[in-house]
Amino acid sequence: MKARIQWAGEAMFLGESGSGHVVVMDGPPENGGRNLGVRPMEMLLLGLGGCSSFDVVSILKKSRQAVESCEAFLEAERAGEDPKVFTKIHLRFVVKGRGLKEAQVKRAVELSAEKYCSASIMLARGGVEISHGYEIVELG
């Protein structure tokens, strides 16, 4: 896996993934940025949410659950002093569908956390306390 980061002036950077996609990262005005993109640490949090959500949906589909929507809400705490690393992250999934089995949703979240989500497992191994929760919404 490769990536390229290019400085775009002031506190803005363009990140290009190995697959050719570009994202804008920018700092807050108090740090010389113009608030025109996500912060790098926000990008890390978004990556974690995307990685885990991908797993949960994939596992539910493979177990033939009629999942129609999956949202992940992440809340993170950071250290107060530099380096301001993440210390705690909570992921809460809201899974919507028809006839979803709670055991299957619970297992999908657990498998992502314990076996499949590289981002989550990497952060946990680095000392971040990661917790998970879920809610099932039955669609009529």
Side-chain angles (χ1 to χ4, degrees), residues 48 51-56 59 89 91 93 105-125 128-133:
L48 166 60
C51 182
S52 194
S53 294
F54 180 90
D55 292 338
V56 169
I59 293 164
I89 300 173
L91 293 88
F93 295 93
V105 173
K106 181 178 188 234
R107 186 72 179 137
V109 171
E110 288 172 350
L111 281 171
S112 175
E114 298 167 7
K115 185 173 181 181
Y116 293 113
C117 181
S118 304
S120 179
I121 293 165
M122 179 182 65
L123 288 167
R125 286 182 184 172
V128 180
E129 182 183 316
I130 299 180
S131 58
H132 299 78

Side-chain angles (χ1 to χ4, degrees), residues 8 12-15 22-26 35-40 43:
M12 182 183 289
F13 295 85
L14 301 177
V22 177
V23 294
V24 176
M25 294 176 279
D26 196 11
N35 199 31
L36 297 175
V38 297
R39 312 288 186 268
M43 184 77 67

Side-chain angles (χ1 to χ4, degrees), residues 43-119:
M43 184 77 67
L44 189 59
L45 196 61
L46 288 169
L48 166 60
C51 182
S52 194
S53 294
F54 180 90
D55 292 338
V56 169
V57 169
S58 177
I59 293 164
L60 288 172
K61 284 182 174 183
K62 286 177 184 170
S63 61
R64 300 188 177 164
Q65 294 297 295
V67 59
E68 293 187 25
S69 170
C70 178
E71 288 181 281
F73 298 88
L74 290 83
E75 291 187 33
E77 293 179 22
R78 294 177 67 184
E81 296 186 16
D82 290 329
K84 294 179 181 157
V85 298
F86 289 126
T87 56
K88 293 180 182 180
I89 300 173
H90 180 72
L91 293 88
R92 182 176 62 88
F93 295 93
V94 177
V95 182
K96 297 178 183 177
R98 299 178 197 290
L100 296 172
K101 294 184 175 125
E102 182 174 4
Q104 295 288 338
V105 173
K106 181 178 188 234
R107 186 72 179 137
V109 171
E110 288 172 350
L111 281 171
S112 175
E114 298 167 7
K115 185 173 181 181
Y116 293 113
C117 181
S118 304

